[in-house]
Amino acid sequence: LRALILAGGRSRRMGRDKALLPVADGRTLLEQTAALIAPLVPDVRVAVQPGTPPDPVRRGFPLLTDPAPDLGPTGGLRAALAADPGAAWLVVACDLPGLTAAALAALVAGRDAAAAGTA
């Protein structure tokens, strides 16, 4: 099981990069999400759009680049499956400030390893 954090959105409605928004403890939404996931899986990667400017936060993670621009979350999924087609992927968006460790643990515990996917 690997994790993929979708952090390649253009944030057009927000007007700024959602992944880099600060949360109460001084981290960014992306960093907070990664910290919640890291204890559950051995590998956490971040999906970005082609041409996403490098920033210090994203550079701290292994990045997977969407195969083409403007594919939305599907681009991140395609990048993950191309990077490791045999892996199971826990996929979450970077912009879920209410995400909890308990919710992620429940998702992992409820996973059916025999199924092609669990939602």
Side-chain angles (χ1 to χ4, degrees):
L1 182 62
R2 295 175 181 239
L4 179 69
I5 302 172
L6 302 172
R10 301 232 188 262
S11 300
R12 286 182 284 259
R13 291 178 303 214
M14 175 70 73
R16 60 188 278 207
D17 191 341
K18 291 182 286 190
L20 303 180
L21 288 174
V23 294
D25 64 5
R27 293 182 294 181
T28 64
L29 274 174
L30 175 55
E31 291 167 322
Q32 174 181 275
T33 302
L36 290 170
I37 295 172
L40 301 172
V41 298
D43 184 18
V44 178
R45 301 196 186 186
V46 174
V48 297
Q49 293 242 9
T52 298
D55 61 75
V57 175
R58 284 185 180 86
R59 279 196 304 254
F61 299 97
L63 300 177
L64 295 177
T65 302
D66 296 0
D70 299 320
L71 295 176
T74 304
L77 293 170
R78 287 178 58 188
L81 293 174
D84 190 346
W89 290 90
L90 171 62
V91 181
V92 299
C94 70
D95 57 347
L96 301 171
L99 186 64
T100 65
L104 288 167
L107 287 171
V108 171
R111 175 178 167 250
D112 181 355
T118 304

